[in-house]
Amino acid sequence: MDTKIRRPVTWTPQEEATGGRLIDRLDGFFHPIEKFVAFLSALCIFALMAVGVMQIVGRQVFGTPIFGYIDAVEMSISIFAFLAIAYCERLNGHVRMELVVGKMRGRPLWTLEIFGQIVALFVVAILIYYGWTHALRAYEYGDSTIDAQIPWWPSKMLVAFAFLTLWVRLWLNLIGYARLFINPDAAPIAVPLVADVKQMAEEEAAEAGALEQEKQNKGSAAS
Amino acid sequence: QTIDGPSVSWNLSTWGTKRAFTAGMEYVAAQVSEKTGGKFNIKLHYGEALSKARENFDGIKIGAFQAAMYCNFYHPGKNPASMVLTMPFLPLGDLEVSMHVREAVMAHPAYVKDMDNWNAMTYMSSLLPQYEFMGRGNPPQKLEDWKGLRVRAGGGLGTAMQKLGATLTTVPAPEVYTGVERGTMDAASFPYTYSHASYKLPEVSDWFTSNMSPGTTECGTVFNKDAYAKLPDQYKKLLMDLKAPAYQVQIKAYHDIDEKNLPAFRAKLKEVVYTDAQLDEFRKIAAKPVWDEWVAENKDKFDAQGLLDLVLAEAKKAAKK
Amino acid sequence: MTGLDNDTIGVIGVVCMLLLVLSGVRIYIAAAAVGLVGLVAMIGWDAGAGMIGTIPHSKAVSYTLSVLPMFILIGYLAFHAGITQSLFDAARKWFGFLPGGLAVASVFATAGFAAVSGASTATAAVFSRVAIPEMLAAGYSRRLAAGVVAAGGTLATLIPPSAILVIYAIIVEESVGRLLLAGFIPGVVSALIYALIILIWAKLDPKVGPAIKGYTWGDRIKALPGTAPVISVVLIIFTAMYLGWATPTEAGALGAFVVFIMALMQGMRYEALKDSLLETAKLTVMIFSLIWGVLIFVRFLGFAGLPEHFTQFITSLPFEPWVVMLFILLGYVILGMFMDAIGMLLLTLPVVYPAVMALGYDSIWFGIIVVKMAEVCLVTPPIGLNCFVVSAVRPDIPVASVFRGVGPFVIADFITVGVFLIWPEVITWLPNTMLN
Ligand code: NA
Ligand code: NA
């Protein structure tokens, strides 16, 4: 269960009529996928920590550094630097300037959001296709890391795959915003919400605060 | 007199800053512009402004720029045939000899085929000097002294050092200074004397080797084949005519820098000079076996033995001159 | 390809970029879009688009950048390691006797927390909860209590670990270790100047922050073990890096591991760990997307030759370098009113940095100055995220009064920047001494 995404439990007739339920179902289908992929990225970061500690201990204590450590870390960057990209988009995590959009309401706002999705869909489509050909070149003609000579193509392909997940997410955004454009009075469903700065600050605070709160609760439950 | 022709401007992608390594292409670019009265220009873009060093072949292939510098060890998989030049203890110590051998290797069908994959043609080599070691602590005067030393060495050279009993450590080049200073690494190999000085290694070292010549790598300049084909004949001829003088400029640049560095090295550090007998011993343990391993690994992919034989034959031929 | 010369295409690109950013397009997408269209306009479709396709992978895949998730992870795990409260307790017992003592304590506690966290807003959020209630209970004015926490949060990016410093190092190709080390003293100096401002303020108007008396030396000594986690992380990161045991990534990994163990000892469970890791992944991908997106734009600027021409323009100005520097800093103040710190650095540095170097400034020095400027922007109106955060945690303190409370600290920041301008050694001494 994702606490950061609110999902209506009961549907108002208006939400039903404007296709809210369908969009929610699509989002409900895709979000676990993007979240799982993001979780792989999270695991990789944990592994990076563990391997880094092993590398120091191995080298300083036993005099045996892990061969190809740098290569392996560079290889894994495509996991932790790209895989969570769609998840981050869904949670409104990618920075943007909300000075103007934060002040807009209704149809003008949704128009601007749709414009943003179209620009992004275009760019990401290029990145998928040419990222893919970049990976194919590495596969066909060979390209490998310096020390351990690990082939590069899987890492390059993973980047194209990450962009593909982002692309799907952008389509869902586009559909979601289009619904709002058609029905400006409908409640937003399954789109990254325009958080004005104050709202963003609240989330930020809640994140830090909620974490501490949770710990305290657990502490008192244990005692 | 001025060579007449259409206006052409080329971009050349490289990394780092202007230095001895780029002197040859600097010269070519200046000459090309001068001889054509500013009609044909080659602009060198430093600092990976046009592409990451290890993606330069990709940029050539997609036609993002017309020329690029490359180093084969950044991407062994992209240029497997050229890796023959990273074999340890090849007799390439003299830059003139090195030039002849590299030119011959660049013309070998296996090498050309690798370049074809990237729609590239090699123009000239950067004649990267032979590597030497520089390090801290007791100088390795004898073969056995290398046993247990932690050294930074890549490619075939790394394999050779392992055969001598050294432990390999891999750290990014800019970290070598700290590593040697703090003693987490005993020695590092770099193109001699040029790179030792640029990474400021002498500041933290006690000794250096000067005639070990354990190996080198291949770096050079490639052109996009289509861009070259599109040039008018007089420009093509100009480029080819400039190669010989450019090599001389390149060699002089390394000599000049040696002349500046060596006295400083010798004043501060112990110079380790091996006898011929010692060098023969080194080669017996660490050269031939590594060469054979490399040939065995690659013989099904291309004419690895042929490349190796070519290197040795050309080196012998050039040394006699 | 088009009839336009490259300079014109470059300038059009910059304008389009600003328009897209203003219309709320995500910065990494806006930068990539303009870079793409611009490159295609200059070198054609296949070459331009083909080159764009290589950039995300080739720019992100660099060992140096792998330190970022480690630093971010340290920050998220630190919340679970029980560090904040014990830091504030110790600081209160040691500095409470001063005029405005609790506020001074807040400054030093945030500075201490900065040693495990690189996030200004998160630091401000945590201390809003830990420090503000105690200050208010002791009769401190709302303005001072809110202002000191919002300003103290900004110390997180100067005092290592700091993602922004790493990003600066990577853009300008400086040593990451050197920059991190360079941030240390300026961070401490900033904290001291904050403390000084509080002392003056509380002396002039004793009602805003009464001194807290009654702690014994025994109390003080007993509070010290609480600061051990922070001190150990600082020692680990610094000694590992500067004794050459570890690269920044490895040092970051070790620091994260130690905080992870502390968090486990404080009773962190799987769910909390999972949350921290997911948050780390989210923030990491956000930063990396900004990096490659903006670098696509920068590649386009490079082809257009804009940085070169800007440098020529700057160096041909008939002013002393320090005057030009003041103008550049003013530019950052204005930009920073509206932009996020990382985005601002990534966008401006490729053009501004070569010009600043041509003026003869030190690159480490400029990095610290620029990051300090970016942090000042977090507390200035109209958009000072740290102030919004404080007000969000304490709805009883309106944003306007946070901004008013932060006023003296902004003055302190300008004094600090002035100190760095006049005595650049404050920044360069430590890295130059420790790393020759
Ligand atoms: Na920090
Ligand atoms: Na601001």
Side-chain angles (χ1 to χ4, degrees), chain B residues 18 97 100 120 126 149 183 195 206 237 252-253 287-288 305:
Chain B
K18 211 173 191 165
V97 171
H100 285 287
S126 296
L149 288 195
S195 292
D206 297 322
K237 179 167 182 301
K252 183 166 180 305
K288 193 72 176 31
Q305 186 66 52

Side-chain angles (χ1 to χ4, degrees), chain A residues 45-130:
Chain A
I45 290 173
F46 192 77
L48 181 69
M49 174 186 89
V51 174
V53 173
M54 276 157 59
Q55 170 77 344
I56 297 182
V57 174
R59 194 177 46 216
Q60 299 309 121
V61 183
F62 303 104
T64 50
I66 305 165
F67 179 69
Y69 163 74
I70 292 182
D71 290 5
V73 169
E74 292 197 333
M75 205 51 89
S76 67
I77 289 181
S78 60
I79 303 176
F80 63 72
F82 290 93
L83 275 190
I85 195 165
Y87 176 75
C88 183
E89 170 64 33
R90 177 67 183 94
L91 297 185
N92 204 22
H94 289 289
V95 286
R96 62 165 168 174
M97 202 165 117
E98 305 203 310
L99 192 68
V100 178
V101 277
K103 292 211 161 50
M104 296 173 81
R105 296 282 175 274
R107 225 172 231 157
L109 170 64
W110 306 130
T111 314
L112 217 48
E113 292 287 23
I114 288 173
F115 168 72
Q117 305 312 310
I118 292 173
V119 172
L121 277 167
F122 167 70
V123 171
V124 176
I126 303 280
L127 288 175
I128 294 169
Y129 179 76
Y130 285 96

Side-chain angles (χ1 to χ4, degrees), chain C residues 111 113-119 155-163:
Chain C
F113 192 66
V116 288
S117 165
L155 296 172
T157 47
L158 275 183
I159 296 175
S162 155

